[in-house]
Amino acid sequence: MGIHARRGLALAAVAAVVGTAVAAAPPQAGDRAAAKTPTAAKAPVAAKTPVATGYGGAVSSVDPDASAAGVEVLRKGGNAVDAAVATAAALGVTEPYSAGIGGGGYFVHYDARTGRVQTLDGRETAPLTADKGLFTENGAPIPFAEAVTSGLSVGTPGTPATWDEALDTWGTRSLAEVLRPATRLAERGFTVDETFRKQTADNRERFADFPASAELFLPGGELPVVGSTLTNPDLARTYRELAADGVDAAFYRGGIGRDVVDTVRKPPVDPRADRKVRAGDLTAEDLRVYEVRHQKPTKVRYRGLDVYGMAPSSSGGTTVGQALNMLERTDLSAADRTAYLHRLIEASRVAFADRGRWVGDPASEDVPVKGLLSQRYADSRACLIRDDAVLTSPVAPGDPNRPGKGCDPRGTAAPTTYEGESTTHLTTADRWGNVVAYTLTIEQTGGSGITVPGRGFLLNNELTDFSFAPANPAVHDPNLPGPGKRPRSSMSPTIVLDKGRPAFALGSPGGSTIITTVLQVLTGHVDRGLPLVDAIAAPRASQRNTAATDLEPGLWNGAERARLEELGHVFKQNPEIGAATAVQRLDDGRWLAAAETVRRGGGSAMVVSPSP
């Protein structure tokens, strides 16, 4: 394994501009037989492009090899779900520090045949032995950095089960078929870019302390060279095992799972390392009982559009939805840029106050989803927002079970807890009109830092998304650890329908900034009239009920900052917030795929064919 000096190779199939197969009717879910079609021609993948329009379907992700893997599956007759799994598997190769089978995520699907939006919660779970003191010792929280790089932070992975469940429920191709592009990519390698090298450098000290991580990502103890090719034959073998034996037999009841458990319970630390690495308590039973949840999506009505998101354990759907409801009464299209940003920031601040108090794993907590998403409650909270003043964080939560008539928040304030800012998002669409928005993660960039020996993938540190202790002892915290509990997430895969048909779908990585990124892209497109790629590229602000609002350089250096500071806003600079991707159905029947122009080195938007 490791990096070899084969430069300039990008070995996924060419997909952005070739292939035009059009079928009269979509294959039905459950028709898992692979079609006998010629292998797609191989050639270097084109440079990243942030926007593409055409026919036959679309894929948008952060990486051209991953997007090409999804388009390859679409070209062979697969649907949006098949393409989403293929893209995700390829991201496990090319974005191993953000996603992979050692993590989890949330899958939102629009079914063109039924007109329904449905979701899968593939979030990681705490061990069955976990309790609220999981991250405390002697009555005090352990240092966050020590929690991250440990077996203690590893939750039961949900990504393999999510892929299997999505394909079984809505897919038309076998797991073996959709894993082929990623398996090939892992074997032959992908070209290291500056973003990958920087992310490796940021994790160098951690990776060096785990021999399997060092061997894969630090060949000879050195950082990978930009332009060189990283191969991962261990991951290729792991994918083949999943394809041959099935997810349950190979992972949740088989050899891959046993290796995961062994790694968590006895982290393979270099004996020369002086890092304190705590063991976790994950067991084979935790893997055996893991289940992906089919959940009803969240839904709000905004400017005549139906906005569907992810219900708890994610806080994305409820928090984005509540903020949109608070903004519904304001004409953001007529507001100047300063007024627009002010309203966006304040709505986010209030929605995050309620998120912190009310949202957790619904299997363990009473989460008032209906109340949080009611327009009546949003109106009772929006009246806190003034055009000539700024709220002071932490704002106290309201009570969606008993919305008041006035603007008294009535609750006791608690600060927002930290959440890692890695993760990745992909969006897909097919020729029949099916759409997927899928956000997946291993939490921090580099996850726990621990690669499963011989398996080629990093383990998550997802359990650090739990609160280590209540942010305010006087306020109930719904996000404390518990047995089998899912930590709260901010992942916000979103699908927007117009009169029952897809308008666009989007999502982003970025920890708690995911919510504000999705909110700003959505309002930038719907209210401000920006083309989707421009709404994604626009400089971002992110307020999460914290003392200061994060600003990207484009706003930090802009005229709006001074005007907002005059109102009372406090800012801190953040070099990069999120990395969104999206797809959109155009009026003429074409698909548009959109991605970042600059963030994370730019994203990769592809369509099956530029012409019908």
Side-chain angles (χ1 to χ4, degrees), residues 118-316:
Q118 296 169 280
T119 75
L120 297 176
D121 180 334
R123 184 68 157 155
E124 302 88 338
T125 56
L128 295 170
T129 56
D131 60 24
K132 64 182 180 180
L134 180 65
F135 290 110
T136 61
E137 291 179 358
N138 301 317
I142 65 175
F144 188 80
E146 291 183 15
V148 168
T149 309
S150 73
L152 195 64
S153 69
V154 180
T156 305
T159 291
T162 302
W163 294 354
D164 200 45
E165 190 66 23
L167 291 172
D168 279 343
T169 306
W170 306 299
T172 66
R173 294 294 182 262
S174 68
L175 179 66
E177 183 173 5
V178 301
L179 287 180
R180 282 175 196 153
T183 304
R184 185 174 67 237
L185 187 61
E187 286 179 325
R188 301 180 185 178
F190 68 94
T191 303
V192 172
D193 62 12
E194 292 183 3
T195 298
F196 189 88
R197 178 180 168 88
K198 181 182 184 304
Q199 290 176 341
T200 308
D202 292 343
N203 282 282
R204 185 172 190 165
E205 291 184 4
R206 292 203 302 153
F207 289 168
D209 287 344
F210 300 98
S213 298
E215 185 180 2
L216 178 57
F217 302 121
L218 299 169
E222 299 299 322
L223 294 175
V225 176
V226 174
S228 63
T229 298
L230 174 67
T231 62
N232 192 340
D234 283 348
L235 183 57
R237 285 190 292 270
T238 298
Y239 279 171
R240 284 200 196 91
E241 191 170 334
L242 286 171
D245 299 338
V247 165
D248 191 56
F251 195 98
Y252 291 94
R253 297 176 182 270
I256 303 172
R258 285 193 295 273
D259 290 345
V260 168
V261 170
D262 290 346
T263 304
V264 170
R265 298 183 70 84
K266 191 175 181 180
V269 187
D270 189 316
R272 297 167 296 179
D274 58 7
R275 183 182 301 275
K276 183 178 182 179
V277 181
R278 292 169 173 81
D281 199 28
L282 196 72
T283 67
E285 178 67 10
D286 291 309
L287 269 67
R288 281 196 298 270
V289 302
Y290 182 85
E291 291 184 351
V292 173
R293 292 178 185 163
H294 285 259
Q295 284 184 255
K296 182 180 178 181
T298 62
K299 178 185 175 183
V300 296
R301 186 87 167 155
Y302 186 71
R303 314 297 190 209
L305 302 170
D306 293 317
V307 181
Y308 291 88
M310 196 69 218
S313 58
S314 176
S315 64

Side-chain angles (χ1 to χ4, degrees), residues 397-435:
D399 187 347
N401 296 303
R402 294 176 295 165
K405 295 181 180 179
C407 291
D408 182 2
R410 293 190 291 177
T412 301
T416 299
T417 53
Y418 176 75
E419 189 175 333
E421 294 190 1
S422 188
T423 306
T424 194
H425 179 81
L426 64 95
T427 43
T428 64
D430 62 35
R431 68 194 68 172
W432 304 287
N434 302 299
V435 177

Side-chain angles (χ1 to χ4, degrees), residues 549-565:
T549 299
D550 288 10
L551 286 188
E552 286 187 325
L555 289 174
W556 181 266
N557 298 321
E560 293 86 0
R561 177 164 70 97
R563 299 186 188 117
L564 289 165
E565 286 175 337

Side-chain angles (χ1 to χ4, degrees), residues 301-307 324 328 331-334 340 496-498 503-504 506 518-532 535 584:
R301 186 87 167 155
Y302 186 71
R303 314 297 190 209
L305 302 170
D306 293 317
V307 181
L324 289 174
E328 178 76 17
D331 186 355
L332 296 181
S333 64
Y340 163 69
V496 181
L497 303 186
D498 184 6
F504 59 97
L506 75 160
V518 168
L519 182 65
Q520 190 169 345
V521 173
L522 194 153
T523 56
H525 180 57
V526 173
D527 292 297
R528 309 296 287 176
L530 295 175
L532 203 49
Q584 180 178 20

